[in-house]
Amino acid sequence: MKNSDVRIINLTSTGEGSALKGGFLPEKAVTKLESYHSYTRWGHSKLANAFPTKELAKGNPNIKSVAIHPGRVQTNLLNHSFENLPFTLLFQKTYDFFDSASVEKGAYNQL
């Protein structure tokens, strides 16, 4: 495919940083990971989104393959994580109000 312009873009998150230590562990991805915090499980799913993109980029330098973070979006994702930390939850909601996209605008990243 000489002179081709192939691009693959996967939407993931910097939440991959909260994934299991050791990188993407496919053998763990087939379980519910019940012994891990929900945020860690979510981070592992984000890392799983980025994994094939990174591998494709390594093996196919002629293909532009990237995984992007959509930016902060005002979701209730972290509410459960901070339910016993009211100050942290308040800070998070205040931060989201000033420095993140609404759910509607956050969805534009997928279009």
Side-chain angles (χ1 to χ4, degrees):
M1 286 205 228
K2 196 173 183 180
N3 299 325
S4 66
D5 187 18
V6 178
R7 300 174 190 183
I8 297 172
I9 302 170
N10 278 331
L11 186 65
T12 188
S13 171
T14 56
E16 70 181 57
S18 67
L20 304 172
K21 301 302 176 217
F24 177 60
L25 306 172
E27 67 280 4
K28 295 277 189 179
V30 297
T31 70
K32 293 182 182 179
L33 299 171
E34 291 173 339
S35 62
Y36 295 94
H37 190 277
S38 60
Y39 196 64
T40 301
R41 294 191 308 261
W42 176 79
H44 198 246
S45 75
K46 299 300 109 185
L47 190 56
N49 287 349
F51 181 74
T53 307
K54 291 176 182 179
E55 290 300 308
L56 186 62
K58 278 190 226 174
N60 299 282
N62 294 333
I63 296 175
K64 183 74 165 177
S65 179
V66 297
I68 62 168
H69 171 59
R72 289 212 30 101
V73 179
Q74 298 169 9
T75 67
N76 294 328
L77 178 67
L78 297 176
N79 286 5
H80 178 70
S81 299
F82 299 136
E83 65 187 7
N84 294 323
L85 303 167
F87 178 76
T88 305
L89 182 59
L90 177 63
F91 174 80
Q92 193 67 46
K93 292 296 181 184
T94 303
Y95 179 84
D96 281 351
F97 178 78
F98 289 106
D99 195 39
S100 64
S102 67
V103 172
E104 292 79 14
K105 287 185 179 178
Y108 292 164
N109 290 300
Q110 299 176 43
L111 302 176

